[in-house]
Amino acid sequence: MLYTVYTTKESACNMQARINVNVTKKQNLIHHFMYGQFIEFLGRCIDKGIFHPGSPLSDKNGFRQDVLEKAKGPQPPLLRFPGGTMVKLYHWMEGIGAKEERKRQSNRIWGGVIDHAFGTNEFIQYCREIGAEPFIIVNMTTGTAEEAYQLGRILQRNGRHLLCQSAQKPWFRGTA
């Protein structure tokens, strides 16, 4: 089936526009990653939202099970962290290693303090829980090219991408 739409607009050039739409021909597929989601430290999205250690609703990792089940529902193929404007402040290295040693930082975008209890490690674990591929954003506003390089170097150890669901090795938990 072919639809043709004609529009004529009187102008100095007296131009005519034409659009052909063929609804039976598949031209290009939209990659499923286009339907991904993002999370950031805004309101209760992360803190006391998906991550609430000590809550009776949370598992041993601090993930709220009620929220986790809802997040699995839409089957997001990809989850981006941090999302939104927080990318200007987040440094992936501050979210790895022992939680008690992680640096606290002022959230200059939304207010409050980010303690990095939910950091890079927890993000990757959360992605595995909901079946999404992790998409870590590299901070190129207050971060450096060296920081981005270090993340890439860690993720490509032994020629394998350590974040992929199919990766047999666990995500890096040490220090860069």
Side-chain angles (χ1 to χ4, degrees), residues 91-93 138-150:
H91 299 274
W92 69 269
M93 296 171 294
V138 176
N139 177 346
M140 295 306 288
T141 304
T142 60
T144 65
E146 178 66 21
E147 186 178 322
Y149 168 77
Q150 288 298 328

Side-chain angles (χ1 to χ4, degrees), residues 125-143:
Q125 181 60 40
Y126 191 77
C127 286
R128 289 178 175 164
E129 294 281 337
I130 66 171
E133 291 291 344
F135 184 164
I136 298 176
I137 302 296
V138 176
N139 177 346
M140 295 306 288
T141 304
T142 60

Side-chain angles (χ1 to χ4, degrees), residues 112-130:
V113 174
I114 300 167
D115 62 6
H116 295 287
F118 183 93
T120 308
N121 287 342
E122 292 71 27
F123 167 66
I124 292 166
Q125 181 60 40
Y126 191 77
C127 286
R128 289 178 175 164
E129 294 281 337
I130 66 171

Side-chain angles (χ1 to χ4, degrees), residues 13-87:
C13 299
N14 220 2
M15 296 174 53
Q16 185 177 33
R18 178 177 146 181
I19 300 172
N20 291 324
V21 180
N22 186 341
V23 296
T24 61
K25 181 180 178 186
K26 287 187 178 182
Q27 187 89 17
N28 297 312
L29 294 178
I30 298 173
H31 196 280
H32 68 283
F33 281 168
M34 291 294 292
Y35 302 104
Q37 304 294 318
F38 75 88
I39 56 174
E40 74 168 309
F41 297 100
L42 170 60
R44 290 178 48 182
C45 177
I46 294 176
D47 294 330
K48 297 183 180 173
I50 65 173
F51 188 71
H52 193 179
S55 167
L57 301 173
S58 298
D59 66 9
K60 64 181 171 61
N61 296 315
F63 300 141
R64 292 252 319 252
Q65 292 301 290
D66 57 333
V67 177
L68 185 73
E69 289 308 311
K70 295 288 185 191
K72 286 180 183 179
Q75 300 175 324
L78 174 125
L79 189 61
R80 186 181 69 180
F81 175 73
T85 55
M86 216 21 229
V87 71

